[in-house]
Amino acid sequence: MARFALGLALFVFLAANHPAAAENASLEEAKAEMVLGSADAPVTMIEYSSLSCPHCASFHRDTLPKIKKTYIDAGKVKLVYRDFPLDSLALAGAMIARCAGKEKYFGLIEVLFRSQQTWTRAQNPKLELER
């Protein structure tokens, strides 16, 4: 986890010195807990997930939409998403999503999971992530 924090801090620092830095999240926002649903929900579901894990992608494609519709959107459950990168590709994807900010975070996570087989199996996966 310390490696992730160091990588995240480095990525945010480098991104902040990039001309398009106005589009990036602040360091505080990038490090914040990512929560989907009402903060007042009586039940908290915590998910540890890796963007390169096919089982995690399956959960996000097939199961989470049902949970979201039935419980999260109804205010019964809030989902706390925690990055648990299993490799450098998942780490890179998590850093990109976090730097996009809270408003775009879950949308980007969904896109990365739905296109996982494309970017993780590409000849140059990190280049695919940049697109």
Side-chain angles (χ1 to χ4, degrees):
M1 195 55 120
R3 202 166 124 194
F4 171 73
L6 178 62
L8 177 62
L10 179 61
F11 185 81
V12 172
F13 173 78
L14 293 173
N17 292 310
H18 188 271
E23 299 172 18
N24 295 327
S26 68
L27 179 58
E28 291 76 27
E29 187 179 9
K31 292 186 332 182
E33 194 161 70
M34 297 300 177
V35 180
L36 187 61
S38 171
D40 301 337
V43 175
T44 300
M45 181 173 116
I46 300 175
E47 175 190 5
Y48 290 85
S49 193
S50 177
L51 289 169
S52 60
C53 169
H55 302 289
C56 297
S58 176
F59 172 78
H60 272 261
R61 265 191 332 269
D62 304 329
T63 307
L64 184 57
K66 296 171 188 168
I67 292 172
K68 187 176 180 307
K69 182 179 178 182
T70 306
Y71 299 103
I72 296 173
D73 292 346
K76 298 175 185 177
V77 172
K78 67 180 171 189
L79 170 72
V80 176
Y81 182 92
R82 295 193 177 151
D83 298 299
F84 191 78
L86 297 175
D87 54 31
S88 62
L89 292 178
L91 177 62
M95 289 189 299
I96 291 168
R98 285 189 167 270
C99 288
K102 282 188 171 189
E103 295 297 317
K104 297 177 185 176
Y105 182 78
F106 283 104
L108 191 48
I109 291 293
E110 181 179 342
V111 167
L112 289 171
F113 274 128
R114 289 190 181 278
S115 62
Q116 182 191 79
Q117 288 192 7
T118 302
W119 62 269
T120 58
R121 295 180 182 181
Q123 191 168 12
N124 187 343
K126 291 186 181 177
L127 183 61
E128 279 297 313
L129 282 173
E130 292 175 10
R131 296 178 186 205

